[in-house]
């Protein structure tokens, strides 16, 4: 098993924990995810990883896409397919759970797509905040609806 490293950053939506492996960024944690417990599980603290730099640039308005390796070890099967498709949704654009289900070839899997988004181990970087309900409503977000609204506003999306 690869070494898990932990790093923490402060952001406009609260403290974020980053779990990094030699393969890339594996988790982005919100405060509600119990960052401290995850830090304690890590093998060691990380040097300032590329993910921290890119997230800081994103929040400062200097980055619209992430160019860092991702480690999808905390997702599997259908959820990984959904996350890989979700990673293609560009800055400033949105999609719906139904559209994502169609794009992964399973148009009846809208609820499963919602589950994949709710359990996304890489929020912000794999932008589940860009997924809206079919009626255009905000929908839920593990980091909270205020965080989702902030991220969408940052990208010029008015919901």
């Amino acid at each position: 098993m690869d070494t898990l490293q932990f790093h923490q950053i402060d952001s406009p939506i609260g403290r974020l924990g980053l779990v990094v492996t030699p393969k890339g960024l594996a988790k982005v944690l919100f405060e509600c995810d119990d960052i401290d417990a995850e830090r304690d599980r890590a093998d060691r603290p990380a040097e300032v990883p590329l993910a921290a730099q890119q997230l800081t640039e994103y929040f400062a308005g200097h980055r619209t896409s992430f160019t860092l390796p991702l480690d999808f070890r905390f997702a599997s099967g259908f959820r990984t397919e959904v996350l890989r498709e979700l990673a293609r949704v560009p800055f400033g654009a949105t999609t719906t759970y139904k559209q994502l289900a169609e794009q992964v070839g399973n148009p009846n899997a809208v609820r499963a797509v919602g589950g994949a988004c709710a359990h996304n181990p890489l929020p912000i970087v794999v932008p589940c905040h860009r997924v809206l309900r079919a009626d255009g409503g905000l929908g839920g977000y593990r980091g909270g609806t205020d965080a989702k609204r902030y991220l969408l506003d940052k990208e010029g999306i008015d919901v």
Side-chain angles (χ1 to χ4, degrees):
M1 187 65 138
D2 292 327
T3 302
L4 298 179
Q5 298 178 15
F6 180 85
H7 186 78
Q8 181 176 297
I9 64 171
D10 291 319
S11 81
I13 58 172
R15 203 169 47 129
L16 298 175
L18 308 176
V19 176
V20 181
T21 73
K23 293 179 182 174
L25 179 65
K27 282 187 182 181
V28 176
L29 303 155
F30 295 110
E31 290 188 51
C32 65
D33 293 322
D34 198 355
I35 291 172
D36 296 329
E38 197 71 36
R39 181 193 60 232
D40 293 344
R41 277 193 287 275
D43 298 307
R44 62 188 170 105
E47 303 276 329
V48 177
L50 179 60
Q53 294 169 4
Q54 290 194 11
L55 280 162
T56 300
E57 292 167 359
Y58 170 83
F59 285 115
H62 303 300
R63 175 171 290 279
T64 59
S65 64
F66 296 95
T67 56
L68 56 124
L70 302 177
D71 182 343
F72 285 97
R73 73 177 55 213
F74 294 107
S76 62
F78 182 75
R79 286 185 177 173
T80 303
E81 289 180 51
V82 171
L83 297 179
R84 289 186 188 282
E85 189 62 39
L86 182 55
R88 294 184 180 99
V89 178
F91 182 94
T94 60
T95 189
T96 66
Y97 299 103
K98 181 168 179 45
Q99 288 170 325
L100 270 177
E102 290 168 353
Q103 289 168 328
V104 296
N106 197 339
N108 295 322
V110 176
R111 282 184 169 289
V113 166
C117 291
H119 294 95
N120 177 4
L122 296 161
I124 306 169
V125 177
V126 176
C128 51
H129 63 276
R130 296 179 189 153
V131 182
L132 303 176
R133 294 188 331 216
D135 66 4
L138 195 60
Y141 192 62
R142 192 174 79 239
T145 54
D146 288 343
K148 185 171 184 172
R149 191 174 312 281
Y150 174 87
L151 294 167
L152 291 171
D153 287 346
K154 173 162 228 24
E155 297 186 17
I157 300 166
D158 185 28
V159 178

